[in-house]
Amino acid sequence: MPDGTDKPASSPKRSFAAPTGTRDLYPLELARRRWIEDKWRKSAVRHGFEEVDGPTFEHTELYTAKSGDGIVGEIFSTFSGKDEAAVKAMGDALARGEKGAAPYALRPEFTPTLARMFAARGGQFSKPCKWSWQGPCYRAERPQRGRLREFLQWNCDLIGDGSAAADVEVMAVCVGLLESVGLKPADLRLRFNSRRVLGSLVREMGVDAEHESTAFVLLDRRDKLDDDALEAMAFEFGTSDFGFLQFLKRPRGRTGADEALNAMPLDARAKANSLLEPITAVSRELQNAGIAEWCDLDFNVARGLAYYTGTVFELHEASGAMRAVAGGGRYDNLIETFGGPPTPAVGFGMGDVVLSLVLQDKGLMPSDKQIAADLGLRPDVFVISNGQPESDALVGAYLADLRRKGMHARRSYKTTKNVGKLLQDAASCNARYAVIIESATDVTLKDMDANTQDKGPASELLARILPPPR
RNA sequence: GUGGCUAUAGCUCAGUUGGCUAGAGCGCGAGGUUGUGAUCCUUGAGGUCGCGGGUUCGAGUCCCGUUAGCCACCCCA
């Protein structure tokens, strides 16, 4: 365009940073992520969960319907780009000072997708249906320690069984993961509660059904607010019934059933034992499953998501310093809400960000070499020339042959003929064996772990390390 | 969305009360020595000091703005 500017034809260089809250994963970092994904998947498989997957983005209404305001406010809105009418409508709404909603949302969590999937086709599966999933989720939050805008989540859900045993089966796969990465009950605590029990208790204390969910919010924040702030919020929410206020302001720190019951009004306490039955059922099953030592009953756990109906739980670092590693619970109404048959379901989600932090803090993240070995990425053999021209010429043929036979085979790209430096190259990629080509027929086979080697005919020595023929 | 802290090489950091061509270690590349993963020696690449203004004879250094990152609140995996 002859616009008279003398800008050079080549546009100026511009550098881009990754968007806020996202991660660029270079080989070592991706290997660490794969290691976690591998542990997740294996834990799910061991416990009999089958992997499913769904779309990265959904209709926005899928989340506005049931997820609760917390998550809805963090949605990344998405347009198709071809739907100019929708883009314009949102622009107009914003211009009028209204809130606009995009037609699509990047998934902030997977549970609504799973409930939608089950509502659509769940009838064809035998019950209970045990599904696991892992993949990226997106939330437009301000990043900080343990929190990003794009993160990985692992979900395990058990659909079609409303029993306490089902609740505990889901908790058990979560604990199974922790055990598989070397964590101990002293490191992490699984705090559980029941919304149904909590609901009947607060009703006994004078809170009506309409205010039940705001009562849960208050209980969830007990540890973070002082009595005055709690009381102020309670009045604001219209949940200032005397009995409930006393319960809300009971001493902090102790979280078990006895402490909670002692803080309740007498007439409520009288009925409490029968009201507590759902929780005692869970406790029994925790014993049966052998994971009780990981778990604490905690009346402060209510969970933010609006769709939880029964048992709820959160997994926290024992010191309580860090945010939740995982959280979940029972959502018996969600599938019906999405047009399916009334179906009980329970599940949890675990994020990779906090889990990685915990593993690092505890020194449980394996070395990069160990991770590569765990993932089957360790080179089987490293091919080296002894520096003679006839050996140099054979490197490519050896590589091709070994690879064709199923070996992970590598070579050096350095120009040096120094065997020591080439072995250093082999060691730095953690190759299991090194093959030094000595002549047209002979090689030295070096066991890099044992630091032993033999020299002889190639056909004979390589036969030792080749995988058995199928 | 609110607040605090930080910003010099890929990484970890020096850089004096403002003063010559901005440094080190590690890592990366090349070469040498010892036919075997170590050690050692030589050498190279890589930075408009986050970006934009201002003060000054002179700014990596002082001031303002901005962006990004980290941390906390909020919320949550």
Side-chain angles (χ1 to χ4, degrees):
Chain A
M1 202 161 104
D3 57 4
T5 61
D6 43 9
K7 233 181 195 171
S10 60
S11 54
K13 287 179 187 172
R14 185 178 160 198
S15 63
F16 293 91
T20 297
T22 63
R23 293 171 285 188
D24 292 336
L25 301 177
Y26 295 90
L28 287 178
E29 291 132 22
L30 183 61
R32 289 176 202 139
R33 167 188 281 194
R34 292 282 183 247
W35 184 80
I36 286 177
E37 291 175 327
D38 185 55
K39 294 291 183 186
W40 280 351
R41 187 167 283 119
K42 283 176 175 161
S43 189
V45 167
R46 271 200 304 277
H47 289 256
F49 287 73
E50 295 179 300
E51 194 167 12
V52 297
D53 202 2
T56 318
F57 61 95
E58 291 275 7
H59 293 292
T60 303
E61 295 82 43
L62 188 73
Y63 305 110
T64 53
K66 258 304 200 179
S67 286
D69 297 336
I71 276 191
V72 172
E74 296 162 358
I75 281 179
F76 270 107
S77 297
T78 307
F79 292 92
S80 77
K82 297 190 186 296
D83 191 352
E84 294 174 23
V87 176
K88 186 173 183 305
M90 180 149 175
D92 291 347
L94 291 173
R96 289 194 302 269
E98 299 169 6
K99 274 191 181 172
Y104 303 110
L106 294 184
R107 63 179 172 218
E109 55 162 338
F110 190 70
T111 306
T113 297
L114 178 129
R116 178 182 64 69
M117 286 170 65
F118 191 89
R121 306 250 312 251
Q124 69 184 251
F125 304 105
S126 64
K127 315 294 179 295
C129 203
K130 295 165 68 175
W131 285 351
S132 82
W133 168 84
Q134 58 194 64
C137 290
Y138 306 86
R139 291 184 196 174
E141 299 183 280
R142 191 118 159 220
Q144 60 181 271
R145 182 170 165 82
R147 185 171 83 186
L148 295 171
R149 289 184 162 187
E150 181 184 44
F151 56 96
L152 253 43
Q153 200 177 94
W154 173 50
N155 283 27
C156 288
D157 292 88
L158 196 153
I159 310 157
D161 184 336
S163 69
D167 296 344
V168 170
E169 187 163 352
V170 161
M171 291 155 90
V173 61
C174 184
V175 169
L177 178 279
L178 305 180
E179 288 172 340
S180 76
V181 296
L183 287 161
K184 305 281 184 231
D187 299 321
L188 291 171
R189 303 303 303 168
L190 199 158
R191 313 208 288 237
F192 69 98
N193 193 8
S194 164
R195 276 214 192 184
R196 185 177 308 146
V197 170
L198 211 52
S200 22
L201 290 180
V202 298
R203 274 197 296 281
E204 288 299 323
M205 290 182 268
V207 176
D208 58 42
E210 186 188 344
H211 289 98
E212 187 180 291
S213 59
T214 57
F216 288 172
V217 171
L218 285 164
L219 290 169
D220 211 37
R221 292 192 188 165
R222 269 186 80 235
D223 281 339
K224 294 183 180 177
L225 300 174
D226 60 26
D227 285 354
D228 291 344
L230 281 173
E231 193 160 346
M233 278 183 79
F235 275 98
E236 189 186 331
F237 287 165
T239 51
S240 53
D241 312 86
F242 180 77
F244 177 65
L245 269 186
Q246 294 306 113
F247 182 69
L248 196 59
K249 288 154 65 176
R250 73 188 189 276
R252 310 291 199 286
R254 307 288 294 276
T255 59
D258 291 345
E259 303 296 322
L261 294 179
N262 286 337
M264 290 174 61
L266 273 177
D267 51 341
R269 214 182 299 169
K271 298 185 189 169
N273 277 338
S274 62
L275 298 178
L276 279 173
E277 170 53 24
I279 281 177
T280 50
V282 167
S283 296
R284 275 197 304 272
E285 295 296 341
L286 289 172
Q287 294 287 346
N288 288 341
I291 59 169
E293 61 171 342
W294 289 83
C295 305
D296 303 311
L297 172 60
D298 185 342
F299 270 97
N300 295 333
V301 173
R303 311 268 315 141
L305 291 172
Y307 51 66
Y308 288 122
T309 55
T311 300
V312 287
F313 59 94
E314 288 175 352
L315 185 71
H316 285 267
E317 201 226 345
S319 73
M322 243 180 296
R323 63 189 65 249
V325 179
R330 178 162 284 289
Y331 49 98
D332 284 347
N333 300 330
L334 195 59
I335 290 166
E336 190 176 4
T337 305
F338 290 163
T343 309
V346 58
F348 73 90
M350 178 183 291
D352 73 310
V353 184
V354 185
L355 178 64
S356 299
L357 286 173
V358 171
L359 290 173
Q360 277 162 32
D361 285 358
K362 308 283 181 193
L364 290 172
M365 190 65 92
S367 70
D368 292 321
K369 278 188 175 180
Q370 186 61 49
I371 284 175
D374 285 358
L375 294 175
L377 298 175
R378 184 181 185 187
D380 298 310
V381 55
F382 198 94
V383 180
I384 290 171
S385 162
N386 71 344
Q388 301 303 314
E390 67 169 353
S391 301
D392 288 349
L394 284 170
V395 171
Y398 268 87
L399 277 173
D401 186 52
L402 289 163
R403 287 169 177 167
R404 194 169 289 124
K405 287 169 176 159
M407 308 282 282
H408 175 173
R410 293 200 191 188
R411 56 166 292 179
S412 177
Y413 291 89
K414 295 188 190 301
T415 52
T416 184
K417 301 202 180 301
N418 182 325
V419 173
K421 282 207 172 135
L422 294 170
L423 281 167
Q424 210 170 312
D425 226 17
S428 73
C429 72
N430 198 28
R432 180 70 184 82
Y433 294 97
V435 168
I436 306 168
I437 304 171
E438 303 288 4
S439 70
T441 54
D442 285 9
V443 299
T444 297
L445 176 67
K446 175 159 184 162
D447 183 325
M448 298 291 284
D449 287 354
N451 197 18
T452 58
Q453 62 184 46
D454 289 305
K455 187 172 176 179
S459 55
E460 186 180 307
L461 289 175
L462 291 182
R464 295 186 194 169
I465 63 169
L466 286 170
R470 303 195 301 120

